[in-house]
Amino acid sequence: NAGVTQTPKFQVLKTGQSMTLQCAQDMNHEYMSWYRQDPGMGLRLIHYSVGAGITDQGEVPNGYNVSRSTTEDFPLRLLSAAPSQTSVYFCASRTGTGLNTGELFFGEGSRLTVL
Amino acid sequence: AQRVTQPEKLLSVFKGAPVELKCNYSYSGSPELFWYVQYSRQRLQLLLRHISRESIKGFTADLNKGETSFHLKKPFAQEEDSARYYCAPTNPDRGFKTIFGAGTRLFVKA
């Protein structure tokens, strides 16, 4: 059971380039989300999804796009990378979107550097 | 607005000493409350959740609705407890999104 898989683990971009961080989960979780982790800022929610075809903004959505065409996949797109997007990105999923929601399961993280 | 406050960025204690990691939240309604832990070179993982009322690795967390706090406690810290800890309320609105605090880095000295 792979759990939550993120690719790539490391990426270096130049300002203005675009890229997609991939996230896949094999646990049939309804809820998926993306966070960025920065020193002193903790984890900040970028976007989240409560099911296929449904996405919503988190705390820091600007500069990022998401889509959820399947239950398993939740890619995060940077359309025009900026140095401020240098961070470690985590994908997380869980079962349930209502009361008594389950725990979040995290990917290993993707370290992105924008020059 | 939803807000989670973990006032200590770094907490350093000696092995065997009690430890308390503070968490205060500002939410409407009654959020479900979690603590997550990130050990060095490992994925973030659940430490405990309020609804289960479990004690995990000797840690407990008490919900104080009046103070809107969910502090994490352990009576005798161990070196292997050194990690980063995140308080994470889950908001009972559309989607039940989870917002994390800034985290507290716990360092347990021998």
Side-chain angles (χ1 to χ4, degrees):
Chain A
N1 191 342
V4 179
T5 303
Q6 287 181 236
T7 57
K9 287 188 169 57
F10 301 94
Q11 183 71 50
V12 178
L13 290 177
K14 293 181 180 178
T15 297
Q17 287 185 315
S18 63
M19 78 156 299
T20 299
L21 297 175
Q22 302 289 346
C23 177
Q25 52 90 10
D26 60 0
M27 297 173 281
N28 200 32
H29 285 169
E30 299 167 290
Y31 180 99
M32 296 186 74
S33 54
W34 277 102
Y35 293 87
R36 58 178 290 173
Q37 184 181 41
D38 301 292
M41 305 291 288
L43 286 160
R44 291 182 291 171
L45 181 65
I46 304 172
H47 286 285
Y48 66 105
S49 169
V50 299
I54 306 170
T55 63
D56 208 343
Q57 296 182 346
E59 303 170 278
V60 288
N62 293 341
Y64 307 95
N65 279 355
V66 292
S67 60
R68 185 92 180 271
S69 57
T70 67
T71 300
E72 294 78 20
D73 301 298
F74 191 46
L76 179 71
R77 297 184 186 84
L78 285 72
L79 298 178
S80 180
S84 61
Q85 293 178 304
T86 293
S87 187
V88 180
Y89 292 84
F90 288 96
C91 180
S93 71
R94 68 162 184 252
T95 185
T97 55
L99 293 172
N100 296 324
T101 55
E103 68 181 273
L104 280 169
F105 290 86
F106 283 85
E108 290 183 299
S110 299
R111 185 175 294 274
L112 175 66
T113 301
V114 183
L115 303 175
Chain B
Q2 303 161 42
R3 188 178 302 161
V4 184
T5 304
Q6 292 182 250
E8 305 112 343
K9 287 188 177 177
L10 174 65
L11 191 59
S12 183
V13 302
F14 283 102
K15 177 182 173 181
V19 62
E20 181 180 52
L21 286 74
K22 293 184 170 58
C23 172
N24 290 89
Y25 61 91
S26 172
Y27 269 66
S28 59
S30 299
E32 192 166 348
L33 295 154
F34 298 80
W35 277 95
Y36 287 83
V37 60
Q38 187 177 29
Y39 299 104
S40 179
R41 303 183 191 283
Q42 293 187 27
R43 303 185 188 214
L44 271 146
Q45 58 188 279
L46 177 70
L47 178 64
L48 60 80
R49 58 188 295 184
H50 172 253
I51 196 169
S52 66
R53 299 199 177 275
E54 290 177 309
S55 172
I56 305 296
K57 298 185 179 182
F59 284 97
T60 59
D62 292 324
L63 172 61
N64 186 321
K65 288 189 177 181
E67 296 179 359
T68 58
S69 67
F70 189 52
H71 302 330
L72 184 69
K73 300 177 184 179
K74 185 169 182 177
F76 307 103
Q78 303 299 315
E79 289 179 75
E80 56 265 30
D81 295 328
S82 295
R84 189 175 301 278
Y85 293 81
Y86 290 97
C87 180
T90 294
N91 193 12
D93 69 359
R94 179 175 177 269
F96 282 75
K97 62 186 178 184
T98 298
I99 303 294
F100 283 76
T104 298
R105 176 80 170 86
L106 174 64
F107 181 58
V108 182
K109 297 176 284 189

